[in-house]
Amino acid sequence: MAPDSTARPDLLYAQVENSLRQKIISGELEVGARLPTEQELCEQFGVSRITVRRAVQNLVDEGLVYRLRGRGTFVSAPKRMIRKGSPNYFGYHAFSEVGGKSPRRVLSRETLSATGRLAKALEIPEGSRVSMVERLIFEESIPIAIDYVYVSAQLFPNFLEDLGEDMSLYSLLTSTYQCALGNEELVLDVSTARESEARLLSCFVGSPLYVLYKITRDTDGVPLHYSKSVMRGDRASFRFVISPDGRVVTS
């Protein structure tokens, strides 16, 4: 639908914006669909490039679409909020609207020798044996993350067999291994998708990614696991509530 030609020029962007938003909400423009180019939108709505850019930028700011340099503007998938929820930690069960239903597919299982970073994270001597499981995490049928989990093979000798295809790591630690979970150390970084990551996550090369590093300890301070999660930036947001004394509290 073309904008009202009698509308004030400074309101034309809102009509373009609302028209595109309605197409996204209704599903006419599906998740992953590329929006028409600026020139195509100008011709479609009979407005200037400045008007189109403002309308599209508002949709980007709202999170409904995202831009990839040299490729265009695409419809975003709805984001999920990852938050701390006692007694849950920052695992995929923390997707607040999903309720813990995040299917997983094992990509590889390996035994490695601990190099500097792994040895330091797990507080074990360099060269010690480490078990690693790489899994692809889904939200329904959409891949959202690649998860690499490392544990000391001496501490958990049967880990490669025990961590099942669709099992929560935290359930394994608490229910099967009877570990009492203590503090969890988190480092959140950002990156862009390389070709191998884009292929697994069904996104474009260069798409924004979160990289979440975690060390979970038991109540005695012993590291139980070290993990690296590479997550699609268009699928999640992180929410933290900080107490006056600097603690991350239940949100």
Side-chain angles (χ1 to χ4, degrees), residues 14-36:
Q15 295 186 37
V16 176
E17 177 186 334
N18 290 334
S19 178
L20 292 173
R21 181 185 291 106
Q22 184 57 41
K23 290 181 179 181
I24 294 171
I25 293 173
S26 68
E28 182 178 344
L29 284 172
E30 298 180 345
V31 171
R34 186 176 69 84
L35 264 60

Side-chain angles (χ1 to χ4, degrees), residues 79-86 88-91 94-97 184 186 188 210 212 231 233 235-243 247-251:
K79 284 194 173 187
R80 301 297 188 183
M81 187 69 70
I82 297 182
R83 58 190 177 90
K84 180 181 183 295
S86 183
N88 296 328
Y89 283 59
F90 280 95
F95 272 66
S96 59
E97 297 177 25
E184 187 166 54
L186 305 171
L188 183 61
Y210 290 118
L212 181 64
M231 308 176 64
R235 296 298 295 165
S237 294
F238 286 83
R239 180 172 186 263
F240 300 90
V241 176
I242 310 297
S243 68
R247 293 179 298 108
V248 178
V249 298
T250 301
S251 58

Side-chain angles (χ1 to χ4, degrees), residues 30-152:
E30 298 180 345
V31 171
R34 186 176 69 84
L35 264 60
T37 65
E38 282 187 0
Q39 182 59 41
E40 289 169 339
L41 289 173
C42 288
E43 295 173 358
Q44 177 182 341
F45 291 102
V47 296
S48 69
R49 283 183 179 271
I50 292 176
T51 297
V52 166
R53 285 173 184 168
R54 182 172 181 183
V56 173
Q57 184 59 52
N58 285 349
L59 295 175
V60 170
D61 294 342
E62 192 176 333
L64 288 177
V65 300
Y66 62 97
R67 290 192 178 100
L68 287 178
R69 187 181 298 275
R71 293 180 178 271
T73 304
F74 299 85
V75 177
S76 302
K79 284 194 173 187
R80 301 297 188 183
M81 187 69 70
I82 297 182
R83 58 190 177 90
K84 180 181 183 295
S86 183
N88 296 328
Y89 283 59
F90 280 95
Y92 297 102
H93 53 275
F95 272 66
S96 59
E97 297 177 25
V98 178
K101 298 179 180 178
S102 298
R104 303 155 174 88
R105 188 175 83 218
V106 172
L107 300 176
S108 64
R109 303 176 191 267
E110 298 181 47
T111 300
L112 311 169
S113 294
T115 54
R117 184 170 186 173
L118 269 179
K120 182 178 179 181
L122 293 173
E123 297 181 6
I124 56 179
E126 289 196 30
S128 299
R129 306 306 288 166
V130 172
S131 298
M132 187 280 292
V133 176
E134 176 189 8
R135 298 193 294 180
L136 188 60
I137 313 297
F138 294 83
E139 180 191 348
E140 298 178 351
S141 61
I142 300 174
I144 58 170
I146 308 165
D147 205 30
Y148 304 87
V149 181
Y150 303 86
V151 302
S152 165

Side-chain angles (χ1 to χ4, degrees), residues 150-161:
Y150 303 86
V151 302
S152 165
Q154 180 177 356
L155 188 61
F156 301 116
N158 299 317
F159 181 77
L160 293 182
E161 295 76 29

